[in-house]
Amino acid sequence: MSPALPPVLTIDGPTGSGKGTISRGVAERLGWHFLDSGALYRAVGLAASLEDLAFDDQDALARCALETVVRFEDRPNDDPLVFVNGAEAGAEIRTESAGAAASAIAAIPSVRAALVEKQRQFRQLPGLVADGRDMGTVIFPDAGVKVFLTASAEARAERRYKQLKQKGFEVTLATLLRDIVARDARDTGRAVAPLRPADDAVLIDTTGMSIDEVVNKVLALASARGT
Ligand code: DC
C-alpha cells in the first residue's frame, strides 16, 4: 500500500443492498468524496443508446466508455446528479432498464478496462468512499477498509420498489424481484471482475437493519482501522 495515496473505503454489494444510500451517508459523515461507480456504467449505457450502438459491438462500446465524459454533482440525501457529455441525465438513469443496460455493457472486458483510470481519479484528499461491485477487488485493492453488503433478494426488491415508487415510477414487486435475480446472476457470473467480496472485506447482512444502523457499523469499522 502506498502511503502517499489518499485513503479509500470501499462498499461493494449486489443491487438493492443499500450500497448507494449507505455509501453516501458514510461519505457525508466522514467528509470524504463519494464515487457512485454504478452511475458511471449507467452513464456509458445511456451514451451508447443515444449513439444507437449495438450492445454486442464491443469495440464501439469500449470507445464510447473511453470518450464519454461523466460528471457528478453530489446532493445531500439523494443520488448524485449525473451529467453525460455535459447534459444532465435525469431520473431515467436510475431506472431498472438503465441498470440492466449498465449490467450488460459492464460484462465487456474492454469497457471495464476503459473505466479503470476514470474511477481511480476520484481518489482525492481527504478520502474516498467508493460504491460498486469491484471496488475492493479490482479498482482499489489497497483500500484500508472494505465492506461487502448483502441482503436477501426479497428485501432488496422491496427497497428498490419503495425507492422507485417514491420517484414516481410505475413498477411491480414481482417484476423487480425477477430483474434483481437476473442482474445478480449476470453480475456474479461474468468472467471479468465478477461481483464477489474481496478476501479482506467485512460482510454485513443488511436484511432487517436500518440505514443508520449500517452507516454506524461501517463508521465503527473505519474508526477501528484508524480512519
Ligand atoms: O450499482 P448500480 O445498480 O447502479 O450498477 C448498475 C450496473 O453496473 C450493475 O448491475 C453492474 C454494473 N457495475 C459494475 O459492473 N461494476 C461496478 N463497479 C458498478 C456497477
Side-chain angles (χ1 to χ4, degrees):
M1 169 162 143
S2 165
L5 289 170
V8 184
L9 188 160
T10 60
I11 303 188
D12 288 304
T15 188
S17 56
K19 276 178 301 116
T21 315
I22 287 151
S23 304
R24 216 176 45 231
V26 171
E28 271 172 22
R29 295 266 296 270
L30 290 173
W32 285 10
H33 301 282
F34 169 49
L35 167 62
D36 175 358
S37 64
L40 205 55
Y41 284 93
R42 286 169 186 261
V44 174
L46 179 71
S49 60
L50 288 175
E51 276 189 50
D52 252 340
L53 299 182
F55 273 45
D56 58 357
D57 187 344
Q58 301 201 357
D59 290 346
L61 290 168
R63 179 198 47 76
C64 180
L66 212 53
E67 289 176 357
T68 301
V69 178
V70 186
R71 187 171 66 76
F72 296 108
E73 207 173 283
D74 288 338
R75 296 184 291 180
N77 302 317
D78 208 343
D79 290 323
L81 287 178
V82 186
F83 292 80
V84 183
N85 293 323
E88 202 262 298
E92 280 301 310
I93 201 156
R94 299 292 171 186
T95 58
E96 227 9 73
S97 65
S103 169
I105 61 154
I108 301 170
S110 51
V111 168
R112 301 199 75 81
L115 296 180
V116 169
E117 270 319 306
K118 291 191 189 206
Q119 294 172 88
R120 291 189 178 147
Q121 281 167 9
F122 283 82
R123 188 173 194 167
Q124 304 279 343
L125 284 169
L128 175 70
V129 177
D131 149 5
R133 303 292 189 290
D134 62 343
M135 298 296 99
T137 50
V138 176
I139 306 298
F140 302 111
D142 63 334
V145 184
K146 298 180 186 179
V147 173
F148 192 89
L149 299 180
T150 59
S152 69
E154 289 74 16
R156 292 186 281 128
E158 268 175 40
R159 284 181 195 156
R160 289 290 290 155
Y161 180 76
K162 283 189 195 145
Q163 268 177 359
L164 291 169
K165 275 285 192 189
Q166 247 174 23
K167 291 187 178 177
F169 291 105
E170 267 315 310
V171 283
T172 68
L173 195 55
T175 313
L176 280 177
L177 181 59
R178 194 198 58 206
D179 290 349
I180 276 179
V181 170
R183 194 128 72 91
D184 280 356
R186 191 163 42 213
D187 292 347
T188 52
R190 69 182 174 222
V192 198
L195 170 66
R196 68 165 182 83
D199 293 338
D200 49 352
V202 175
L203 265 63
I204 303 177
D205 185 339
T206 67
T207 313
M209 282 177 86
S210 72
I211 298 290
D212 279 350
E213 282 172 333
V214 185
V215 167
N216 285 333
K217 192 161 179 164
V218 174
L219 288 170
L221 194 69
S223 146
R225 301 267 174 97
T227 297

